[in-house]
Amino acid sequence: MRAMRWAFAVLMALCITICGCGGGSTPTQPPSGLMYSTPVAVYQVGTPVPANNPTSTGGSAISYSVSPSLPPGLSLGSSTGVISGTPSKVSSAANYVVTARNTAGSATATLSITVNAAVPAALAYSANPVTYNVGAPITPNIPTNTGGTVTSYTVVPTLPWGLSLDDVTGVITGTPTVPSGQTNYTVTAFNSGGGTSTTLTVTVANGAPSNLAYSSNPAVYTVNEPIEGNIPSNTGGQATLYALSTQTPSLPAGLKLNTTTGVITGTPTAVAA
C-alpha cells in the first residue's frame, strides 16, 4: 500500500512539472515596450556599424522581422533582433519597423536609419605648390582623394584673377591675369558624409612679355601734325619697361617713346623715310 501511495505521489509531481496542472504558473505574455539602443541611426558607407540592440518588457521574443528591408549591407538577427553589418550603399533617411514575436503576440519599434557616403579623405592636387605666369594658360590642376566620392568643392580665399575652381570636379583651370605673391588657398571637398580639406600654395609671377604689337603699324604721319598715341599690347606678362633696340635708329624727330607705358607720341618735325 505504501508503495502504491509513493508511486501516486511521483506521478502527481510529474504531472505538475510537465503539464502545469498544479496551478500557479503564469501564461506566456507577448513582448511589449520594444525599443532599440539607437533609434535614430546615421551610418557611413564602408564603415561597420556598432551593434544596435533591442530591449523589451513582457514576454521574451523568439523571433524578429523588419519592414521594409534594411539598407544594403545591414542585417537583422532573426532570433536576437540585433542590427549589424557594414553599409554598402548610400540611403536617405527612412523609417524601418521591427516586429518582435512570441507565441502570445508581438510588439513593434520604429527605427530611423540614414546611410551617408564615406567621407572624402587625403585630398591632394596633382601640382602643389605651383607657380604660374601672367598670360600663360595653366595645366589643369586635378584633385584626388582616398575616401568617398566628392560631390562639391570650395576654395578660400578666392583664387588669383583668371583662375577658377570647378565646384563639381575640383579642377583648377584658367589663365592668370595679375601677378600675386605666394598665397595659401584652402580647398575643401564635400559629400553627404562630411568634408576634408587641403592647402594649395599658388604664386603668379609676371611672366615675360610676348607677341608685342602696336595699334598702328606701319604708321604714316605728317610733319607738324600731332600724332594719335600709338599703343602697344602683348599676350605675355605685364611689361614694366620699354626701350628701343640698340640695333634700330632713334624715332623720327619730334616723336618719343614712353619707357613706362610704351606709347609713342609727339609731333613730327622733319620728313623721314
PDB file of all heavy atoms in Angstrom, residues 19-37:
ATOM      1  N   CYS A  19       2.912  19.284 -17.073  1.00  0.00           N
ATOM      2  CA  CYS A  19       1.650  19.787 -17.608  1.00  0.00           C
ATOM      3  C   CYS A  19       1.214  21.086 -16.965  1.00  0.00           C
ATOM      4  O   CYS A  19       0.257  21.716 -17.421  1.00  0.00           O
ATOM      5  CB  CYS A  19       0.547  18.750 -17.435  1.00  0.00           C
ATOM      6  SG  CYS A  19       0.944  17.164 -18.210  1.00  0.00           S
ATOM      7  N   GLY A  20       1.841  21.477 -15.856  1.00  0.00           N
ATOM      8  CA  GLY A  20       1.445  22.702 -15.189  1.00  0.00           C
ATOM      9  C   GLY A  20       0.081  22.566 -14.549  1.00  0.00           C
ATOM     10  O   GLY A  20      -0.628  23.557 -14.381  1.00  0.00           O
ATOM     11  N   CYS A  21      -0.334  21.336 -14.232  1.00  0.00           N
ATOM     12  CA  CYS A  21      -1.687  21.139 -13.724  1.00  0.00           C
ATOM     13  C   CYS A  21      -1.791  21.382 -12.244  1.00  0.00           C
ATOM     14  O   CYS A  21      -2.817  21.163 -11.631  1.00  0.00           O
ATOM     15  CB  CYS A  21      -2.205  19.741 -14.063  1.00  0.00           C
ATOM     16  SG  CYS A  21      -1.062  18.408 -13.653  1.00  0.00           S
ATOM     17  N   GLY A  22      -0.691  21.843 -11.628  1.00  0.00           N
ATOM     18  CA  GLY A  22      -0.751  22.126 -10.216  1.00  0.00           C
ATOM     19  C   GLY A  22      -1.193  23.526  -9.918  1.00  0.00           C
ATOM     20  O   GLY A  22      -1.302  23.910  -8.764  1.00  0.00           O
ATOM     21  N   GLY A  23      -1.387  24.413 -10.988  1.00  0.00           N
ATOM     22  CA  GLY A  23      -1.826  25.786 -10.778  1.00  0.00           C
ATOM     23  C   GLY A  23      -0.673  26.680 -10.384  1.00  0.00           C
ATOM     24  O   GLY A  23       0.414  26.237 -10.047  1.00  0.00           O
ATOM     25  N   GLY A  24      -0.866  27.995 -10.439  1.00  0.00           N
ATOM     26  CA  GLY A  24       0.131  28.971 -10.003  1.00  0.00           C
ATOM     27  C   GLY A  24       1.098  29.402 -11.074  1.00  0.00           C
ATOM     28  O   GLY A  24       1.843  30.341 -10.877  1.00  0.00           O
ATOM     29  N   SER A  25       1.243  28.733 -12.286  1.00  0.00           N
ATOM     30  CA  SER A  25       2.151  29.154 -13.352  1.00  0.00           C
ATOM     31  C   SER A  25       1.524  30.284 -14.146  1.00  0.00           C
ATOM     32  O   SER A  25       0.307  30.330 -14.302  1.00  0.00           O
ATOM     33  CB  SER A  25       2.485  27.973 -14.266  1.00  0.00           C
ATOM     34  OG  SER A  25       1.320  27.505 -14.901  1.00  0.00           O
ATOM     35  N   THR A  26       2.395  31.245 -14.649  1.00  0.00           N
ATOM     36  CA  THR A  26       1.896  32.407 -15.386  1.00  0.00           C
ATOM     37  C   THR A  26       1.866  32.112 -16.881  1.00  0.00           C
ATOM     38  O   THR A  26       2.867  31.673 -17.437  1.00  0.00           O
ATOM     39  CB  THR A  26       2.804  33.620 -15.140  1.00  0.00           C
ATOM     40  OG1 THR A  26       2.869  33.858 -13.738  1.00  0.00           O
ATOM     41  CG2 THR A  26       2.269  34.848 -15.851  1.00  0.00           C
ATOM     42  N   PRO A  27       0.766  32.349 -17.565  1.00  0.00           N
ATOM     43  CA  PRO A  27       0.702  32.122 -19.006  1.00  0.00           C
ATOM     44  C   PRO A  27       1.738  32.997 -19.718  1.00  0.00           C
ATOM     45  O   PRO A  27       2.100  34.072 -19.243  1.00  0.00           O
ATOM     46  CB  PRO A  27      -0.722  32.532 -19.373  1.00  0.00           C
ATOM     47  CG  PRO A  27      -1.483  32.455 -18.098  1.00  0.00           C
ATOM     48  CD  PRO A  27      -0.506  32.816 -17.025  1.00  0.00           C
ATOM     49  N   THR A  28       2.233  32.568 -20.883  1.00  0.00           N
ATOM     50  CA  THR A  28       3.201  33.337 -21.665  1.00  0.00           C
ATOM     51  C   THR A  28       2.611  34.683 -22.046  1.00  0.00           C
ATOM     52  O   THR A  28       1.470  34.782 -22.485  1.00  0.00           O
ATOM     53  CB  THR A  28       3.578  32.570 -22.942  1.00  0.00           C
ATOM     54  OG1 THR A  28       4.150  31.331 -22.582  1.00  0.00           O
ATOM     55  CG2 THR A  28       4.566  33.376 -23.772  1.00  0.00           C
ATOM     56  N   GLN A  29       3.423  35.782 -21.891  1.00  0.00           N
ATOM     57  CA  GLN A  29       2.999  37.143 -22.223  1.00  0.00           C
ATOM     58  C   GLN A  29       3.630  37.582 -23.541  1.00  0.00           C
ATOM     59  O   GLN A  29       4.755  37.203 -23.855  1.00  0.00           O
ATOM     60  CB  GLN A  29       3.411  38.105 -21.112  1.00  0.00           C
ATOM     61  CG  GLN A  29       2.805  37.801 -19.763  1.00  0.00           C
ATOM     62  CD  GLN A  29       1.298  37.974 -19.779  1.00  0.00           C
ATOM     63  OE1 GLN A  29       0.788  38.980 -20.271  1.00  0.00           O
ATOM     64  NE2 GLN A  29       0.592  36.987 -19.244  1.00  0.00           N
ATOM     65  N   PRO A  30       2.941  38.410 -24.308  1.00  0.00           N
ATOM     66  CA  PRO A  30       3.549  38.928 -25.543  1.00  0.00           C
ATOM     67  C   PRO A  30       4.637  39.952 -25.205  1.00  0.00           C
ATOM     68  O   PRO A  30       4.614  40.567 -24.136  1.00  0.00           O
ATOM     69  CB  PRO A  30       2.376  39.590 -26.262  1.00  0.00           C
ATOM     70  CG  PRO A  30       1.449  39.985 -25.176  1.00  0.00           C
ATOM     71  CD  PRO A  30       1.561  38.908 -24.127  1.00  0.00           C
ATOM     72  N   PRO A  31       5.603  40.163 -26.105  1.00  0.00           N
ATOM     73  CA  PRO A  31       6.582  41.230 -25.888  1.00  0.00           C
ATOM     74  C   PRO A  31       5.875  42.578 -25.834  1.00  0.00           C
ATOM     75  O   PRO A  31       4.809  42.761 -26.432  1.00  0.00           O
ATOM     76  CB  PRO A  31       7.505  41.139 -27.104  1.00  0.00           C
ATOM     77  CG  PRO A  31       7.244  39.794 -27.688  1.00  0.00           C
ATOM     78  CD  PRO A  31       5.812  39.469 -27.380  1.00  0.00           C
ATOM     79  N   SER A  32       6.471  43.529 -25.149  1.00  0.00           N
ATOM     80  CA  SER A  32       5.923  44.885 -25.112  1.00  0.00           C
ATOM     81  C   SER A  32       7.062  45.876 -24.888  1.00  0.00           C
ATOM     82  O   SER A  32       8.160  45.518 -24.469  1.00  0.00           O
ATOM     83  CB  SER A  32       4.883  45.019 -24.000  1.00  0.00           C
ATOM     84  OG  SER A  32       5.468  44.777 -22.736  1.00  0.00           O
ATOM     85  N   GLY A  33       6.782  47.158 -25.177  1.00  0.00           N
ATOM     86  CA  GLY A  33       7.781  48.202 -24.953  1.00  0.00           C
ATOM     87  C   GLY A  33       9.066  47.996 -25.732  1.00  0.00           C
ATOM     88  O   GLY A  33      10.149  48.330 -25.248  1.00  0.00           O
ATOM     89  N   LEU A  34       8.970  47.463 -26.954  1.00  0.00           N
ATOM     90  CA  LEU A  34      10.169  47.202 -27.746  1.00  0.00           C
ATOM     91  C   LEU A  34      10.857  48.514 -28.114  1.00  0.00           C
ATOM     92  O   LEU A  34      10.203  49.470 -28.574  1.00  0.00           O
ATOM     93  CB  LEU A  34       9.807  46.434 -29.018  1.00  0.00           C
ATOM     94  CG  LEU A  34      10.961  46.076 -29.961  1.00  0.00           C
ATOM     95  CD1 LEU A  34      11.926  45.113 -29.275  1.00  0.00           C
ATOM     96  CD2 LEU A  34      10.417  45.476 -31.261  1.00  0.00           C
ATOM     97  N   MET A  35      12.166  48.578 -27.920  1.00  0.00           N
ATOM     98  CA  MET A  35      12.940  49.758 -28.321  1.00  0.00           C
ATOM     99  C   MET A  35      14.371  49.341 -28.634  1.00  0.00           C
ATOM    100  O   MET A  35      14.803  48.248 -28.278  1.00  0.00           O
ATOM    101  CB  MET A  35      12.927  50.828 -27.221  1.00  0.00           C
ATOM    102  CG  MET A  35      13.569  50.417 -25.923  1.00  0.00           C
ATOM    103  SD  MET A  35      13.544  51.755 -24.690  1.00  0.00           S
ATOM    104  CE  MET A  35      11.781  52.007 -24.513  1.00  0.00           C
ATOM    105  N   TYR A  36      15.095  50.255 -29.317  1.00  0.00           N
ATOM    106  CA  TYR A  36      16.473  49.981 -29.716  1.00  0.00           C
ATOM    107  C   TYR A  36      17.424  50.957 -29.053  1.00  0.00           C
ATOM    108  O   TYR A  36      17.059  52.104 -28.748  1.00  0.00           O
ATOM    109  CB  TYR A  36      16.619  50.045 -31.236  1.00  0.00           C
ATOM    110  CG  TYR A  36      16.342  48.714 -31.887  1.00  0.00           C
ATOM    111  CD1 TYR A  36      15.028  48.297 -32.124  1.00  0.00           C
ATOM    112  CD2 TYR A  36      17.364  47.840 -32.206  1.00  0.00           C
ATOM    113  CE1 TYR A  36      14.764  47.054 -32.691  1.00  0.00           C
ATOM    114  CE2 TYR A  36      17.111  46.603 -32.765  1.00  0.00           C
ATOM    115  CZ  TYR A  36      15.815  46.213 -33.007  1.00  0.00           C
ATOM    116  OH  TYR A  36      15.565  44.977 -33.552  1.00  0.00           O
ATOM    117  N   SER A  37      18.668  50.519 -28.867  1.00  0.00           N
ATOM    118  CA  SER A  37      19.674  51.358 -28.223  1.00  0.00           C
ATOM    119  C   SER A  37      19.956  52.621 -29.029  1.00  0.00           C
ATOM    120  O   SER A  37      20.307  53.661 -28.468  1.00  0.00           O
ATOM    121  CB  SER A  37      20.972  50.570 -28.003  1.00  0.00           C
ATOM    122  OG  SER A  37      21.432  49.998 -29.220  1.00  0.00           O
TER     123      SER A  37
END
